[in-house]
Amino acid sequence: VHGDYSIESSKGKMSANKKSSFTDNVLVGILVAFGSQPFEVLRSTTIVNKDLAKPSNKLKIVQLVTTIYEREGLRGFWRGGAVSISKSAMNIGLYFTLLDRFRAFYKTLGGDGAFVQFASGFSSKVICATVLSPLIVIKTQMEVAGVKGNMTIKENVSRTLSDIGVRGLWAGLIPSILKEAPYSGLQLVFIEAVKAMLPSSLGLASTTIASPIGSVAAVLLTHPFDNLRVRYQCSGLEVGDKSIIQGKHYRSYWMVIKDIADKEGFHGFYRGLTAMALKRAISAPFIWTLVELLKRCLLYTSPSPRDRQKSRMPSSA
């Protein structure tokens, strides 16, 4: 998303650095949450409860979709409802708000091009992952299909606090940052690189085309950290007929890494990738295009600093 525009109107020059508001970005997040949550459910279930899908000749993700629908109906794809929407809305709202400000900050330091894009995205996501960690932990636990008891938000929070304490609400923060921060930085760099190769005449369409390409490329490079985060945060969940998943005794990230390597090999680190790649490919064009449209609308509806100054000046009698 480009933050700078030069626009003339019959009412005079509009502000050239207008930033989208937090409220606008939150509204985008709410819309995205409804559309993308099924992919989050598929990702987390594939990683944590990988034996849920019935054996068949279908692709594994198709098997999983069929099994969840048969067991829980359409409602099963929107597990975690309120907490999922809250997390997505706050995440997108906070991220794009911070992104504008970090871009301006790094430019004042003399940064340019790929450095500004990567540093801005990286910094924004570090803050988002840290602030929203409690929501991320509870959301991730609730979106695993087949969990015994299908606990409510209150029950999930109580279980986490009783098992680990308050620090449990920040469980998995390190892999979360290691995934989210580089993902965001790489995503911005890739999107801008793709847009640079497209004809300038495409205008807003260049963002629509470049965003899914950049987003999926970034997912491919950072997914193992997301896999590690999900497994660590879901340690101890009761799944199906089994007493608990293999992660009950995870006490360090190294234990998770060793467990994946020993039992599943390299492929295990990319479990759940298909669902996340599909999510990014579908949601990215919507998110980035809508945010840019909101910025452009603000440019036409908000007076420039010069106009606001003139309006405060007393009129001559």
Side-chain angles (χ1 to χ4, degrees):
V1 179
H2 294 293
D4 299 330
Y5 301 96
S6 177
I7 296 179
E8 297 277 350
S9 74
S10 59
K11 296 181 180 180
K13 290 184 178 180
M14 296 291 105
S15 172
N17 294 296
K18 186 66 183 177
K19 300 176 179 65
S20 54
S21 72
F22 177 77
T23 304
D24 292 329
N25 294 331
V26 165
L27 291 176
V28 174
I30 292 173
L31 294 174
V32 171
F34 280 106
S36 63
Q37 185 57 21
F39 297 104
E40 299 272 359
V41 169
L42 291 172
R43 181 275 316 278
S44 296
T45 303
T46 299
I47 293 172
V48 178
N49 195 12
K50 55 183 178 295
D51 297 324
L52 179 66
K54 297 177 181 178
S56 74
N57 294 324
K58 299 178 183 178
L59 290 172
K60 188 151 190 176
I61 193 168
V62 177
Q63 295 175 37
L64 189 56
V65 169
T66 302
T67 303
I68 293 175
Y69 179 74
E70 289 176 349
R71 292 190 175 196
E72 304 181 29
L74 288 175
R75 185 178 179 181
F77 295 100
W78 277 270
R79 291 176 135 265
V83 71
S84 297
I85 293 172
S86 299
K87 178 266 175 183
S88 295
M90 293 295 292
N91 184 49
I92 292 178
L94 185 59
Y95 171 69
F96 280 103
T97 303
L98 289 170
L99 185 63
D100 281 328
R101 283 144 184 82
F102 273 119
R103 275 174 167 160
F105 170 73
Y106 285 117
K107 285 180 181 179
T108 62
L109 298 179
D112 195 15
F115 167 76
V116 170
Q117 300 298 339
F118 184 85
S120 300
F122 189 99
S123 302
S124 300
K125 274 300 184 180
V126 168
I127 295 176
C128 289
T130 304
V131 172
L132 300 177
S133 182
L135 284 176
I136 294 172
V137 170
I138 301 305
K139 168 187 173 294
T140 302
Q141 293 174 350
M142 294 189 70
E143 66 193 12
V144 179
V147 173
K148 194 173 182 180
N150 195 21
M151 292 183 290
T152 63
I153 296 174
K154 182 179 178 180
E155 289 170 338
N156 262 285
V157 173
S158 297
R159 185 189 68 84
T160 299
L161 292 176
S162 62
D163 288 352
I164 310 175
V166 176
R167 65 185 179 87
L169 297 176
W170 276 267
L173 179 60
I174 291 177
S176 183
I177 290 176
L178 289 175
K179 181 264 178 179
E180 291 292 345
Y183 167 81
S184 180
L186 290 169
Q187 178 191 42
L188 285 168
V189 171
F190 291 154
I191 289 176
E192 292 302 319
V194 173
K195 288 173 71 172
M197 295 186 286
L198 298 173
S200 58
S201 58
L202 286 175
L204 186 61
S206 64
T207 297
T208 307
I209 296 169
S211 55
I213 298 173
S215 299
V216 172
V219 164
L220 293 174
L221 296 175
T222 59
H223 184 73
F225 294 111
D226 194 39
N227 188 312
L228 175 60
R229 173 192 66 81
V230 170
R231 292 178 192 251
Y232 192 82
Q233 290 177 343
C234 291
S235 292
L237 287 182
E238 297 186 7
V239 177
D241 297 328
K242 300 178 181 179
S243 57
I244 16 190
I245 65 170
Q246 71 273 19
K248 180 184 179 182
H249 301 296
Y250 288 157
R251 290 296 179 267
S252 69
Y253 300 124
W254 172 246
M255 289 182 67
V256 187
I257 294 171
K258 189 175 184 302
D259 193 50
I260 297 172
D262 291 345
K263 296 180 179 178
E264 304 175 50
F266 180 78
H267 170 75
F269 291 99
Y270 280 89
R271 187 175 293 280
L273 174 62
T274 302
M276 289 310 294
L278 286 172
K279 175 199 170 184
R280 299 298 182 183
I282 295 171
S283 65
F286 177 80
I287 296 172
W288 289 88
T289 304
L290 187 53
V291 169
E292 187 160 334
L293 278 172
L294 287 170
K295 284 186 177 183
R296 295 187 179 190
C297 288
L298 285 170
L299 286 171
Y300 284 105
T301 57
S302 300
S304 68
R306 182 180 298 178
D307 291 336
R308 285 196 295 269
Q309 186 176 6
K310 285 182 179 179
S311 67
R312 289 195 294 265
M313 295 176 63
S315 58
S316 57

